[in-house]
Amino acid sequence: MKEERDTESGIPLLQDIQSPVDVAPKKGATLASAVFNISTTMIGAGIMSIPATFKVLGVFPALFLLLVVALMGDVTGEFMLRYTHSGKSTTYAGLMGESFGRLGSLALQICVMITSFGCLIIYLIIIGDVLAGSKSGGVIHTGLLQEWFGFYWWTSRAFAILFVVLLVILPLVLFRRVDSLRYTSLLAILLALVFVVISSVLAIEAMLEGKTQNLRLAPDFSRQGTFLSLFTTIPVFMTAFGYQINVHPIRAELGEPSDMRMAIRISLIICALFYFSIGFFGYLLFGDSIDADMLVNFDQIGHDTVVGLVINSIVRLSYAVHLMLVFPLINYCLRANIDELIFPNKPDLATNTTRFICITCIPLALAYVIAIWIPSIWYCFQILGSTTVVCLILIFPSSIILRDIHGISTLKDNVIAVMLILIAVFASTIAIWTNLSTPAGSKA
């Protein structure tokens, strides 16, 4: 009962990302609800680059790495829950603050902001790819606006993204309560399901007709370069399995907080199956022509019939709209963290219109500019997955175990924590070095 009282009195997620106006008494959520929320946290733009990792690694190594990253996510989730139960903190920032003081919570907060902002950029890049096309390896992929209306200045990438930002995203991010987005979130989930189902059906149909591509079961270094190039895929998987920043808000709403451990494991299994399916069928459908953003490859199929053209448009547009609807949720987290960091002693953000508008519009404008400047989500995944995401998923939870302020870590825990930190630092360093030393045109 004490555990329940503690969680009910705590503010969900980081105190950094929730304002008092958003905190209201909640009935206990169920295990199924927790599984749904954790899975939704993980399944985002990351799935667009999963098929590209299959091209780089081959089917079997990709499956192995996918399972390893999922297992590491399970271990660090258990670390976080154990110390949450033993301590007084009910937020991720609180955990870091207990172990490392203000500097620890500040480092966590900055990583959350960078990760959130990076995700917003990735979303805009993908939306731009769908609407205005892209160029990859000398191949031009047309967007939906160009296929429907032709090549004009108003179907260009810059204008297409600006159109979406002003007419769709901006009105949604101006909501001051996250609860106001519950219906758009539901619609976003349904649209993601449409994308997955149609993509799988197209791949199976192509396989039955003998139109699928030959798959590599192992890496081909004559195509991919050196062994170190394989490490460029790790940040993509890291980003795809990132759920740690939402452990505490979801746990706080559970009727039985002890169910959180099971919810994490079920969610990781669901997402691992989901990622392998989309990676395998995407690679099966497009082969070595797969782009870092799989959505752009759909301009290669379905143009011979009206039905095929309609399906092609639906599968791309459904996920693009999904990202437009998820965008405000990520922006909410980013906005609250920025406000807490820059204006820690100011009144609630929702009550100050000027501050609210500035903190909402400035990051949105910056995300738009960067999305136009960086043409590929692969670069963003490499940057985030090799830096802030790996800190949130592996390094910070492992550091809490090694600090062991409650004296509950075992020798096995310490060994695992050290291994996870070493793996994280080594893999991230190699991935960053390889990307910096490899010509852009050779990347997925």
Side-chain angles (χ1 to χ4, degrees), residues 326-348:
V326 174
F327 191 103
L329 293 174
I330 306 298
N331 184 80
Y332 183 89
C333 173
L334 173 65
R335 180 175 58 206
N337 271 272
I338 293 175
D339 182 63
E340 183 70 18
L341 181 64
I342 301 177
F343 307 104
N345 300 318
K346 293 289 185 178
D348 177 52

Side-chain angles (χ1 to χ4, degrees), residues 8 12 19-27 177 253:
E8 288 171 358
S19 57
V21 73
D22 295 307
V23 180
K26 295 181 176 65
K27 296 182 179 179
R177 292 177 53 86
E253 294 179 0

Side-chain angles (χ1 to χ4, degrees), residues 26 40 42 61 75 78 80 95 102 128 157 172 212 218 254 272 320 329 331 350 360 384 390 399 403 412:
K26 295 181 176 65
T40 303
M42 286 187 277
V75 171
E78 194 275 332
M80 293 173 63
L95 283 182
R102 174 56 183 164
R157 184 182 187 86
L172 293 176
T212 51
L254 274 173
L329 293 174
N331 184 80
T360 297
L384 293 179
V390 78
S399 298
R403 184 73 169 176
K412 179 182 177 182

Side-chain angles (χ1 to χ4, degrees), residues 14-180:
L14 314 171
Q15 192 167 0
D16 333 58
I17 70 170
Q18 293 284 359
S19 57
V21 73
D22 295 307
V23 180
K26 295 181 176 65
K27 296 182 179 179
T30 64
L31 174 63
S33 175
V35 169
F36 176 79
N37 287 326
I38 297 171
S39 300
T40 303
T41 300
M42 286 187 277
I43 299 175
I47 67 172
M48 295 299 102
S49 283
I50 293 295
T53 65
F54 277 64
K55 179 182 73 172
V56 175
L57 295 171
V59 175
F60 289 146
L63 174 61
F64 174 75
L65 184 57
L66 187 152
L67 294 176
V68 168
V69 175
L71 179 61
M72 291 192 294
D74 177 65
V75 171
T76 56
E78 194 275 332
F79 286 169
M80 293 173 63
L81 290 176
R82 193 193 313 172
Y83 269 78
T84 299
H85 179 75
S86 300
K88 297 180 180 180
S89 297
T90 56
T91 69
Y92 197 173
L95 283 182
M96 288 295 292
E98 281 185 347
S99 297
F100 301 99
R102 174 56 183 164
L103 184 62
S105 61
L106 180 62
L108 185 282
Q109 197 173 21
I110 291 174
C111 284
V112 170
M113 287 191 292
I114 294 174
T115 301
S116 300
F117 186 64
C119 287
L120 298 186
I121 295 171
I122 290 173
Y123 289 0
L124 291 181
I125 292 174
I126 294 178
I127 292 169
D129 289 344
V130 172
L131 297 180
S134 67
K135 184 177 180 180
S136 176
V139 178
I140 297 177
H141 298 278
T142 56
L144 290 178
L145 292 178
Q146 295 155 346
E147 293 174 3
W148 293 344
F149 306 108
F151 291 84
Y152 300 97
W153 64 268
W154 51 271
T155 62
S156 65
R157 184 182 187 86
F159 186 85
I161 299 179
L162 181 62
F163 177 84
V164 170
V165 167
L166 294 179
L167 297 186
V168 181
I169 293 177
L170 182 59
L172 293 176
V173 298
L174 290 177
F175 283 115
R176 305 196 184 197
R177 292 177 53 86
V178 69
D179 186 60
S180 302

Side-chain angles (χ1 to χ4, degrees), residues 285-305:
L285 189 59
F286 299 114
D288 286 339
S289 66
I290 193 76
D291 193 81
D293 176 7
M294 187 181 73
L295 280 179
V296 305
N297 290 97
F298 281 93
D299 72 335
Q300 303 172 7
I301 61 176
H303 288 264
D304 51 344
T305 64

